[in-house]
Amino acid sequence: MAAQEEDRTRRPGPGGTDVMETEVIIVGAGPVGLLLTAELCLHGVRVAVVEQRHRPTKESRASTLHARTMEIFDSRGLLTDFASPPTEPRGHFGGLPLDLTLPGAYPGQHKVPQTKTESVLEEWALSLGADIRCGHRLQLLDLVQDGEAVEAEAVGRDGRPVRLRGRYLVACDGQDSTVRQLLGADFPGQDATRELLRADVEGIHIPDRRFERLPGGLAIAARRADGVTRVMVHEFGAAVRRRTEPPRFTEMAAAWQRVTGEDISTGTPLWVNHFDDANRQLAQYRHGRVLYAGDAAHRQMPIGGQALNLGLQDAFNLGWKLAAVLGGHAPQGLLDTYHDERHAVGRAVLANIRAQAQLLLGSSEVEPLRAVLAELMAHEPVRTRLAGMISGLDIRYATCGEGHPLVGARLPHARLRVGSSTCTTLELLRSGRGLLLGLDGRVPAVGERWADRVDLVVARPEPDSDPGELDKVGAVAVRPDGHVVWAGQSTDPGGEEELAAVLERWFGAPR
């Protein structure tokens, strides 16, 4: 993990402590913190990131990117850096096979080690001028905010305190968030009742297993191309231990042998950890000038890769809104829509994860329920509903308004002709600005008043492309995160006035 040593603005603080001033302080340089950092820097926001790790993790951790997250990365031009990751059409719901393919640019799920995701996002953030400080951790009991700024004290690699002052602070520091503890934020939910042990192991040769339910528990094994085997095990009825450090490999190997009868103790563990079914969500994602994203805002079992994707999508929703506030053109209440939108999505995801945890980790008593659900999943409407839920493609923000079916949903994937060239709808979002897309040969004239923050594009669907609902509208207005806020015909009576009101609501008063 690289670090930029130059400071933004420094001034002496009380007792000789240096005070570093910036616009946004981000705590945590995992995937969520890095994506948010890059999104802010894309809009010219000064960002300082503090991360307690001294170097990048070598642990594979979360390795599944879902369709909506792939679209997000494409909309910022990042996918070439991922070098065509392996794609799997099949995922699961509570261990039951589920075809995840849905209409869109990236159906199915995509396998990318978390180390690679972090590397791509970090390189992007640094190229945009981010200040990432590794080996810094927040001091307990030292985070204050007032009407103008928030301050936090960090301990640097040399042991010296550094005072950080910014207009906002965003906690992206994981499920044991220091920021959340400092503020005593209300974090209701359920404590863990079951856990899985997980390890990456070299030098073992065991059969691959996909959610194999055995009399004593659940076993999962998958051998990677590099010869390392990921193993996970849960013993039915086993008590959850209160842990302050990762489990030892001897514990993992003993549980594996009890469940499967196989001896993996001679292998070399590269990484051992555990995860449990604790399920909690912050009551509020915003506390004044402090906001939360990713696992700092919600704790859930990482079933099917949903935890990482949920957090990345939090960051993508927040970045442009916070940048608009700092840029001085955000409409009243824009930042509050971050909580309104992402808390609702998080609540729905945590609910489906609770259901999946019951199906996955329950012993023989859940078998009748699994059998019924497996039968229902063979019906296309059920499969489509579950696949949309897991992939994030079904997200629709009610805050965007009502009316046309496109409003609130993501901009559909389509190939378009713009002038003499072609592009995709995702490529039109690369600037990180809003988009007013004219599809009937013109952009509504009212859009010119917002041309300093909204891209105005005239395009037509390519003949061989399926534009879906785009073929039925004259224009669409799209937020920087790809969600549609207006769709219709500006030539309709009152159409331009309605569009102007929508643009002002999401992009502020015209200049």
Side-chain angles (χ1 to χ4, degrees):
M1 182 172 293
Q4 292 188 348
E5 294 299 332
E6 70 272 14
D7 292 339
R8 298 304 194 200
T9 303
R10 278 186 175 274
R11 61 178 174 81
T17 301
D18 284 338
V19 177
M20 190 192 76
E21 294 189 353
T22 189
E23 290 183 285
V24 178
I25 304 163
I26 294 180
V27 184
V32 175
L34 290 169
L35 178 58
L36 178 58
T37 298
E39 280 291 295
L40 290 167
C41 290
L42 183 64
H43 291 89
V45 176
R46 291 181 295 118
V47 181
V49 185
V50 291
E51 165 59 55
Q52 66 179 3
R53 291 178 295 164
H54 289 266
R55 58 186 62 86
T57 180
K58 296 182 179 180
E59 302 162 356
S60 59
R61 293 187 179 271
S63 60
T64 299
L65 298 179
H66 287 300
R68 180 58 189 145
T69 300
M70 294 292 284
E71 291 181 350
I72 286 171
F73 288 163
D74 188 4
S75 72
R76 294 299 183 262
L78 297 175
L79 284 190
T80 55
D81 296 327
F82 284 95
S84 301
T87 301
E88 297 179 3
R90 186 179 65 164
H92 73 93
F93 189 89
L96 297 168
L98 175 64
D99 181 355
L100 292 173
T101 57
L102 291 171
Y106 303 100
Q109 58 183 4
H110 308 265
K111 293 300 182 180
V112 180
Q114 183 170 322
T115 50
K116 179 63 175 179
T117 301
E118 289 187 2
S119 174
V120 169
L121 294 175
E122 182 186 25
E123 183 176 345
W124 183 38
L126 290 172
S127 74
L128 294 170
D131 180 2
I132 302 176
R133 296 167 173 267
C134 304
H136 286 60
R137 63 177 179 83
L138 286 190
Q139 287 273 57
L140 290 176
L141 305 177
D142 202 24
L143 191 156
V144 296
Q145 58 177 315
D146 56 33
E148 297 296 327
V150 58
E151 290 192 6
E153 189 167 290
V155 176
R157 286 173 291 182
D158 58 2
R160 295 178 56 192
V162 177
R163 196 80 180 172
L164 303 166
R165 180 177 174 86
R167 290 180 62 187
Y168 290 90
L169 181 147
V170 186
C172 303
D173 52 343
Q175 66 179 26
D176 298 319
S177 170
T178 298
V179 177
R180 197 178 62 228
Q181 295 174 36
L182 290 175
L183 293 185
D186 187 16
F187 196 45
Q190 301 174 359
D191 290 330
T193 59
R194 290 169 289 207
E195 70 175 359
L196 275 89
L197 304 181
R198 174 170 59 173
D200 288 344
V201 188
E202 281 185 328
I204 60 173
H205 300 277
I206 58 175
D208 279 2
R209 291 181 167 88
R210 186 176 174 83
F211 306 110
E212 184 173 353
R213 293 172 59 82
L214 298 163
L218 174 74
I220 303 165
R223 186 177 175 86
R224 303 196 312 237
D226 60 3
V228 175
T229 301
R230 165 71 62 89
V231 291
M232 289 184 275
V233 64
H234 167 70
E235 291 188 82
F236 294 147
V240 174
R241 299 190 184 187
R242 296 182 63 86
R243 299 183 186 274
T244 57
E245 58 185 25
R248 295 181 179 276
F249 182 57
T250 52
E251 180 186 350
M252 169 83 200
W256 185 266
Q257 185 157 39
R258 286 192 296 271
V259 171
T260 69
E262 297 169 353
D263 182 9
I264 62 171
S265 63
T266 57
T268 301
L270 305 180
W271 170 57
V272 183
N273 85 334
H274 80 290
F275 56 91
D276 57 44
D277 64 348
N279 197 280
R280 294 186 174 275
Q281 185 180 26
L282 277 176
Q284 293 291 327
Y285 283 15
R286 180 184 180 190
H287 292 70
R289 292 184 173 270
V290 177
L291 300 106
Y292 297 82
D295 288 349
H298 37 76
R299 179 174 177 177
Q300 61 286 304
M301 201 170 204
I303 294 178
Q306 288 187 93
L308 171 63
N309 291 269
L310 179 63
L312 289 168
Q313 291 163 31
D314 287 345
F316 201 61
N317 183 286
L318 175 60
W320 71 274
K321 296 175 180 177
L322 189 52
V325 170
L326 293 165
H329 59 261
Q332 184 71 26
L334 178 64
L335 200 52
D336 290 330
T337 67
Y338 169 64
H339 166 83
D340 296 339
E341 294 177 351
R342 296 307 300 171
H343 191 276
V345 171
R347 184 170 61 247
V349 171
L350 265 62
N352 92 54
I353 287 177
R354 284 198 305 273
Q356 290 193 69
Q358 294 278 20
L359 292 166
L360 192 63
L361 304 182
S363 55
S364 59
E365 77 276 4
V366 302
E367 289 301 335
L369 180 59
R370 289 173 61 86
V372 170
L373 185 57
E375 183 177 341
L376 291 174
M377 287 167 63
H379 295 272
E380 184 59 15
V382 177
R383 183 203 72 81
T384 299
R385 177 72 181 94
L386 294 177
M389 181 188 303
I390 298 295
S391 66
L393 295 179
D394 71 344
I395 294 171
R396 182 182 296 272
Y397 295 132
T399 51
C400 291
E402 300 176 349
H404 195 279
L406 284 173
V407 173
R410 79 196 204 286
L411 181 65
H413 172 69
R415 290 201 62 80
L416 305 173
R417 179 163 292 277
V418 181
S420 61
S421 61
T422 62
C423 68
T424 67
T425 46
L426 290 170
E427 290 170 337
L428 292 179
L429 299 171
R430 296 273 170 90
S431 69
R433 290 156 45 98
L435 171 67
L436 183 56
L437 178 61
L439 293 158
D440 59 0
R442 59 183 287 272
V443 172
V446 69
E448 292 288 347
R449 297 161 60 192
W450 282 269
D452 61 322
R453 66 203 79 156
V454 174
D455 292 332
L456 310 178
V457 179
V458 177
R460 287 192 180 279
E462 282 279 68
D464 61 347
S465 174
D466 179 11
E469 293 288 337
L470 290 180
D471 207 25
K472 304 172 185 176
V473 295
V476 290
V478 187
R479 305 188 321 190
D481 61 357
H483 283 265
V484 177
V485 292
W486 183 87
Q489 310 290 339
S490 59
T491 55
D492 289 344
E496 290 236 348
E497 291 80 2
E498 177 187 328
L499 175 56
V502 169
L503 292 173
E504 184 163 350
R505 178 188 176 194
W506 290 105
F507 300 106
R511 289 179 179 171

